[in-house]
Amino acid sequence: MGRHSSTPDEYGTATADHRPRSRGRTVAIATALVLVVAAGTAVALRTDLISLGGSCGNTVRVSVAASPDIAPALRAAADSARKQDLTSDGNCIDVAVSARDSYKVADTLRSGTGKPDFQVWVPDADLWVDRVGQNDKAVKVTPTGTIATSPIGVGMVPTAAKSFGWPKKTYGWTQLAGAALQDDRLRLGAADPARSATGLLALTKLATSAKQAGDGDGTQAAAMAKVLSQRTSDSDAQLMETVARDSSGTEEGNPKRNQALILSEQAAFAHNAEVGDSGDLDLFYPKDGSPELSYPFTLVDEPSLSTEQSRAAVRFMTLLNTSEGHEILRKHGFRNEDDSAVESVAEGAGARTPQPYATPASDPVTAEQVEQTLGMWTITVQSARVLTVVDASASMSNLVPGRGESRMEVTKASMLAALSTAFTDEDDIGLWEFSTHLDGTRDYKKLVTTARLGDRKGSGTQRDRLSSAFRSLQPVPGGATGLYDTTLAAYKEATSTYKKGKFNAVVVVTDGVNEDPGSISRSSLIQQLEELTDPEHPVPLIAIAVGPDTDKDEIEQIAEATGGSGHKVSDPADIQEVILKAIIEAGAKSN
């Protein structure tokens, strides 16, 4: 990398900054070994357990499914182990490594169907392991330590980097991403956060940074997500194919090429090593902290592994934590316990001082933050298909304390506001109303069939028809709350008309408990909702209870049967905010 060559003094030293993280990783691996010993899958770190060379007894084969970026490094380590006759309890170890997208492996393990054909999984981030653990039916996964790390930043072609003052000028996440909002000043690409840990961690950091800067309602983060979605690739590998191939980043006639990418340091390292000086990237490290890929070494379905397989897997992990393993990882662009690797890896990735590449990584994001970000991404980027069902019983004419308006009037205003601000023309929205015996013997009436808001029929659009229907909603004199039959009918409608590629949901707004004596029971409703629920085609029910006469426990039980959520508000004006938050939460669960 001639253009980035420099003396060590030019880059500074990173040793002091990275020792704390190194010790933490050593402790994690040492602790993992102790736990494995305690579990009975190893007896001790005896000489024969960790020896290199010598004669072998049997050969123990271990299959590893690894994130595509680290798979080549693990293959190199496996080849080295094979050549040196690495042994575990006198048995030679034969490790086979296959490259598999982390999100695909996570989805397979989370489903709990079928027996995995690998004993070890090395995804690129802990969040995938967390995702698997969220399902009680999932295959059991046991993380045993972090074998490598790679911080996330923004890589730019040289002309774009120069225009941003690289390397002397530093930026925060919102500044870097915000540049893409300014008259297409920067064509910034990212990998789909639903499939890429790099994309998800960066978007989560961006959202938290925006919030700290005063973006309380998340509108700035959502706007940035919307812009990023226009240049989103399905995977990290596909993203790397979109970078401009000349140093100017213009590629006249090909506006699809990106001048900048949100990517890991390792991805920039691998790209620069492949293309050479003529097409390498310069890397910005955000000054408010770089989230980090963590590469957890994870045992899969450990109870089903033989003692020999468990010991061999852990032995292979210890090899990766030796000086030889560190050197292999460094050559492939990963950071590890060897502090000297930080400088050379960062330089190869396109770093120069004073970019804060030696600054310790930002605090890990929480599982809750990741879920919120996924939900925000879903509702912001992925089109929604939502059937809204509104209570029209007589009690909706009761006045809202302190407002001088009825529950129905305030509810309508809030629903109309949600329609105009939370949904785009690409979203499908429908409307039902319900009371007792509203349409013959049925407790509900279908007012507007669920359809795309931008669809035009006659002189108006679906949005026009919905707006008119919402405004026309009126409480039914003498009408009671026919909640159970209506909820079941609406859920059947939504599941039978499910649209793949959209976020499908049912929103029920009610101000009371079920008052139809001839309806099904609550237990029967919950049972039938559970039977209709399909994890492969999720349709969460979002139930919103308005006013003092509702039963929060009841709506929570009903909604949770579908993977949805129940909410109670004292003021119907809060419905708009509750709907948005509930959809965000449900969107996170569906990913």
Side-chain angles (χ1 to χ4, degrees), residues 428-503:
D428 297 351
I429 309 294
L431 175 63
W432 291 11
E433 63 175 342
F434 71 99
S435 183
T436 48
H437 307 297
L438 189 60
D439 185 11
T441 59
R442 296 193 304 189
D443 290 344
Y444 56 90
K445 181 181 291 185
K446 301 179 181 180
L447 300 179
V448 181
T449 302
T450 305
R452 180 178 170 275
L453 287 177
D455 284 353
R456 181 171 292 277
K457 185 177 181 181
S459 59
T461 64
Q462 173 77 353
R463 188 186 295 275
D464 296 331
R465 291 188 291 275
L466 275 168
S467 297
S468 177
F470 272 122
R471 293 190 180 96
S472 299
L473 286 172
Q474 295 294 332
V476 177
T481 304
L483 180 62
Y484 294 169
D485 285 350
T486 299
T487 299
L488 180 59
Y491 199 73
K492 286 181 176 179
E493 173 87 2
T495 53
S496 65
T497 59
Y498 179 92
K499 278 195 177 180
K500 188 176 181 180
K502 288 182 176 286
F503 170 74

Side-chain angles (χ1 to χ4, degrees), residues 1 69-70 72-74 76-77 80 148-149 265-274 320 322-336 338 340-346 348-349:
M1 306 306 298
D69 50 350
I70 202 169
L74 297 185
S80 177
T149 60
E265 180 182 71
Q266 190 279 332
F269 181 99
H271 172 84
N272 290 351
E274 179 181 356
L320 297 170
T322 63
S323 58
E324 178 189 0
H326 291 168
E327 179 64 13
I328 291 172
L329 290 165
R330 184 196 65 76
K331 286 182 177 180
H332 286 82
F334 294 97
R335 299 188 182 194
N336 48 58
D338 186 354
S340 65
V342 173
E343 194 167 292
S344 60
V345 168

Side-chain angles (χ1 to χ4, degrees), residues 203-248:
L203 186 59
T204 302
K205 180 63 178 179
L206 191 156
T208 55
S209 295
K211 187 174 183 179
Q212 291 169 357
D215 182 28
D217 60 1
T219 54
Q220 182 184 6
M224 291 181 181
K226 193 70 173 179
V227 172
L228 283 176
S229 72
Q230 297 170 10
R231 308 192 73 84
T232 296
S233 299
D234 285 344
S235 67
D236 296 297
Q238 290 184 20
L239 175 68
M240 299 309 300
E241 295 297 323
T242 69
V243 68
R245 295 173 181 171
D246 62 355
S247 61
S248 69

Side-chain angles (χ1 to χ4, degrees), residues 349-370:
R352 280 185 60 185
T353 54
Q355 290 298 315
Y357 66 85
T359 302
S362 60
D363 293 336
V365 298
T366 65
E368 181 181 3
Q369 288 173 326
V370 169

Side-chain angles (χ1 to χ4, degrees), residues 365-411:
V365 298
T366 65
E368 181 181 3
Q369 288 173 326
V370 169
E371 287 190 6
Q372 289 175 345
T373 301
L374 269 176
M376 181 266 286
W377 177 258
T378 298
I379 190 61
T380 302
V381 176
Q382 187 180 40
S383 297
R385 181 175 175 82
V386 179
L387 173 57
T388 54
V389 186
V390 179
D391 193 341
S393 59
S395 56
M396 287 291 283
S397 62
N398 293 343
L399 294 181
V400 177
R403 284 190 174 272
E405 295 178 291
S406 70
R407 293 175 187 168
M408 179 62 85
E409 291 303 316
V410 179
T411 296

